Amino acid sequence: MDVGDHQVGQPAHREGGHGAPHDDRLELDGRWRFQLLDRPGAERSAAWGEIEVPGAWTMQGFGDLPHYTNVIMPFRLRPPEVPEANPTGVYERTFEVPSRWAGRRVVLQVGEEEGVLFAGVNGTGLRGSNDSPLWAGFDVTDGLRRG
């Protein structure tokens, strides 16, 4: 659906939310590799830290403070423009998909994010969500590989 100059609807490659619990899950909460960049697209360094997921980097000592507002944006530009300095977190995690999942569709579920989220598996199929702070699910089947 078009609303003015903006597209409204489900972002590309994003699965719809659901609340149906089941036992066939691989829990990814815990310690992840993490880098805080000063802006999107900044070069990653060789120095990685660790972060607890779920959790907010603004509450785990990475030097960026939380910004809460219900009226005034935390920067001077008008949306959708954002400042050059725009803290961006990069998270990495290694995991092994159970062998019993071979040939099955696999969805990466993210409980919520603050801002914009891009998710990928093994460097393929980058998917995005900008519905902060809602649940996001991404079909990552095509990015999985053995081992």
Side-chain angles (χ1 to χ4, degrees):
M1 166 171 53
D2 272 331
V3 177
D5 294 329
H6 303 288
Q7 291 285 340
V8 177
Q10 193 79 327
H13 304 291
R14 175 144 176 224
E15 301 294 313
H18 64 81
H22 57 83
D23 294 331
D24 212 5
R25 295 182 188 264
L26 179 63
E27 187 67 47
L28 297 178
D29 289 355
R31 305 295 290 174
W32 285 58
R33 288 172 22 108
F34 179 78
Q35 283 191 34
L36 182 61
L37 307 178
D38 65 348
R39 60 181 165 47
E43 288 291 321
R44 297 181 197 175
S45 74
W48 288 82
E50 283 195 336
I51 193 166
E52 191 68 29
V53 173
W57 74 62
T58 57
M59 304 302 287
Q60 296 188 47
F62 287 95
D64 185 32
L65 300 175
H67 300 279
Y68 296 99
T69 182
N70 65 351
V71 177
I72 300 171
M73 295 300 290
F75 48 83
R76 296 180 59 188
L77 299 172
R78 292 181 53 119
E81 297 176 41
V82 294
E84 179 72 21
N86 188 359
T88 302
V90 178
Y91 297 76
E92 285 190 354
R93 170 78 188 255
T94 300
F95 60 93
E96 190 168 329
V97 175
S99 59
R100 70 182 184 278
W101 290 8
R104 292 172 54 186
R105 179 175 178 253
V106 177
V107 174
L108 174 65
Q109 177 179 326
V110 178
E112 73 176 67
E113 93 287 338
E114 181 178 340
V116 176
L117 163 72
F118 292 101
V121 175
N122 294 320
T124 64
L126 200 62
R127 282 95 162 105
S129 170
N130 59 0
D131 293 335
S132 174
L134 301 176
W135 176 96
F138 306 98
D139 185 335
V140 296
T141 309
D142 61 342
L144 298 176
R145 62 179 180 237
R146 296 191 133 199

